[in-house]
């Protein structure tokens, strides 16, 4: 009898897939090293999986939910109109406006998903298929849990697929006959993928980037340590060029402050980790008048941090769009850099800025103000409207998949290591005293949204009027 009991437990552990990657392989469409749990003993791992996966959400009320209610810093009791970039929500969901989203759509999207999110009656259920890089799954799911706390009882029942890798995968041409709804951190005008706020808004513990509300304040404060006149009058970029990125490799050739007015720094993450990322603090990287954004393997999480600096952002030919970048306006929030003649283009932008310091400073400040307006309140509002609009298109009633487990704040914290717990607890949301911003007047035609997409992707091509 005891052997049967042990076999049942062993079988349960071997089949349980978790938020940190137990029993999960990397996605076949984006290979990365499999996660190792060798440091845990068999008994320790089994105990953790049973406690976190099966007992944490059912045994007691989450401890953190008992923290006294308080308002987020920028909450308002009066309903306001959503920012203009929220209009991309309905544009992004337009492929399913007539066909609606069937269970077959969802199951087909599963083939390219890392996990499945199902919300029923305010409870979150997740079915894991593949592992995510680092702690992306943990912090993304944590963000969804905070949305449920932010607007308790207001999030509709929903069933959606999510991929946590960087590159959109549902091509509009290939899937034209049956668009597949797949959530991820970015998209392009050529893809159906639905952009969702990325994990780092709740923190990126692996490289010591704090939750967005803290990190933005820190970056803005750091940007004020030097006046515009005293900032270094060259363009600055620091990052990893070894990510299959032709643009970043070409950018290395621009590392000449005299010839090209650019300082290009290679980031050594291994060395940075040894010193606790002290040399790569984002708040200390705002000393230059110009900051360069260059996409990597695909979309890069760094865009919001570069914009937050208040330096003039030089954005190189962005192919990918995250949920907020459609709201950026060339030569108002940033300076567009074409993909051709890269080094001369950077030099021309810097020379223009140095010759027109007031105008250059104003563009940098406008980019910083844009990111300052992107408070966590607005991020939760975007999530609320995106999920609500998506849910309206479902032609089925969501039910808990047999292989999905309930995820709550206690179960996430149970799996988190000490450092992750610190970051997670610092990004806890509280019930909103008011309603989400209003999306009612945000309808927009496909033609106008396509123009906006062109403006973001090819801002140097022509003057574009939205008339």
């Amino acid at each position: 009898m005891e052997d049967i009991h042990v076999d049942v437990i062993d079988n349960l552990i071997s089949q349980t897939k978790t938020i940190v990657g137990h029993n999960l392989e990397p996605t076949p469409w984006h290979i990365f090293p499999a996660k190792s749990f060798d440091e845990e003993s068999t008994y320790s791992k089994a105990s953790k999986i049973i406690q976190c996966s099966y007992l944490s959400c059912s045994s007691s009320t989450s401890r953190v939910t008992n923290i006294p209610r308080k308002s987020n810093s920028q909450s308002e009791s009066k309903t306001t109109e959503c920012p203009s970039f929220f209009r991309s929500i309905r544009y992004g969901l337009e492929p399913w406006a007539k066909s609606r989203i069937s269970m077959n759509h969802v199951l087909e999207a599963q083939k390219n998903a890392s996990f499945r999110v199902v919300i029923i009656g305010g409870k979150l259920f997740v079915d894991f298929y593949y592992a995510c890089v680092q702690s992306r799954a943990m912090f993304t799911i944590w963000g969804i849990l905070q949305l449920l706390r932010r607007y308790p009882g207001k999030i509709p029942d929903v069933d959606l697929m999510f991929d946590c890798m960087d590159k959109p995968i549902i091509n509009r041409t290939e899937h034209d006959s049956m668009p597949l709804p797949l959530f991820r951190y970015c998209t392009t005008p050529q893809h159906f993928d639905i952009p969702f706020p990325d994990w780092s808004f709740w923190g990126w513990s692996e490289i010591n980037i704090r939750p967005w509300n803290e990190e933005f304040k820190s970056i803005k404060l750091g940007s004020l340590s030097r006046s515009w006149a005293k900032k270094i009058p060259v363009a600055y970029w620091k990052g990893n060029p070894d990510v299959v990125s032709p643009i970043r490799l070409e950018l290395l050739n621009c590392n000449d402050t005299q010839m090209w007015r650019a300082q290009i720094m290679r980031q050594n993450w291994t060395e940075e980790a040894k010193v606790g990322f002290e040399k790569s603090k984002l708040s200390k990287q705002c000393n230059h008048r110009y900051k360069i954004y260059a996409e990597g393997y695909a979309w890069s999480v760094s865009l919001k941090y570069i914009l937050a600096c208040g330096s003039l952002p030089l954005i190189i030919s962005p192919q990918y769009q995250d949920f907020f970048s459609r709201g950026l306006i060339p030569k108002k929030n940033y300076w567009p850099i074409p993909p051709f003649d890269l080094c001369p283009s950077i030099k021309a932008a810097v020379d223009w800025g140095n010759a027109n310091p007031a105008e250059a400073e104003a563009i940098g400040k406008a980019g910083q103000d844009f990111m300052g307006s992107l408070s966590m309140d607005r991020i939760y509002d975007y999530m609320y409207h995106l999920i609500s609009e998506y849910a309206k298109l479902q032609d089925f009633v969501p039910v808990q998949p047999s292989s999905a487990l309930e995820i709550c704040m206690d179960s996430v914290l149970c799996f988190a290591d000490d450092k992750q717990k610190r970051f997670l607890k610092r990004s806890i949301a509280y019930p909103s005293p008011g309603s989400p911003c209003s999306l009612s007047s945000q309808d927009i035609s496909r033609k106008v949204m396509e123009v906006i997409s062109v403006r973001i992707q090819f801002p140097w091509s022509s003057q574009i009027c939205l008339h």
Side-chain angles (χ1 to χ4, degrees), residues 437-449:
C437 62
S438 173
L439 194 65
S440 59
S441 61
Q442 294 295 322
D443 287 314
I444 187 168
S445 70
R446 170 180 286 274
K447 181 178 179 180
V448 173
M449 273 310 304

Side-chain angles (χ1 to χ4, degrees), residues 29 35 39 46 62 66 72 107 120 124 176 183 202 205 238 243 276 374 382 390 397 441 450:
W29 51 88
K35 297 184 178 182
E39 69 277 5
S62 178
N66 292 328
N72 284 3
L107 295 180
I120 302 174
L124 176 63
D176 181 63
F183 285 66
W202 294 272
S205 62
K238 184 176 184 180
V243 289
L374 192 64
Y382 189 93
Y390 174 93
V397 177
S441 61
E450 287 176 348

Side-chain angles (χ1 to χ4, degrees), residues 134-143 162 185 196-216 282 299-305 322-324 371 376 379 423-424 427:
Q134 297 180 335
S135 56
R136 289 187 184 191
M138 176 181 289
F139 280 77
T140 299
I141 291 168
W142 178 262
F162 203 108
Y185 309 124
F196 191 85
D198 73 80
W199 78 96
S200 65
F201 281 104
W202 294 272
W204 191 352
S205 62
E206 286 84 359
I207 59 174
N208 282 353
I209 292 181
R210 294 168 291 180
W212 174 242
N213 56 346
E214 293 182 38
E215 200 64 56
F216 175 78
L282 297 174
W299 158 87
S300 172
V301 72
S302 63
L303 177 60
K304 60 179 173 288
Y305 304 119
D322 55 29
F323 80 102
F324 68 82
M371 296 313 300
M376 288 306 298
I379 292 167
F423 279 72
L424 294 169
S427 60

Side-chain angles (χ1 to χ4, degrees), residues 51-61 123 406 408 410-411:
Q51 176 61 43
C52 302
S53 296
Y54 298 100
L55 303 178
S56 292
C57 296
S58 59
S59 61
S60 63
T61 302
K123 290 186 177 182
E406 182 181 356
C408 62
D410 268 353
S411 65

Side-chain angles (χ1 to χ4, degrees), residues 61-67 142 149 409-410 413 425 428:
T61 302
S62 178
R63 292 183 297 276
V64 288
T65 60
N66 292 328
I67 296 175
W142 178 262
R149 278 174 59 92
M409 289 174 62
D410 268 353
L413 293 172
K425 289 182 177 181
I428 291 174

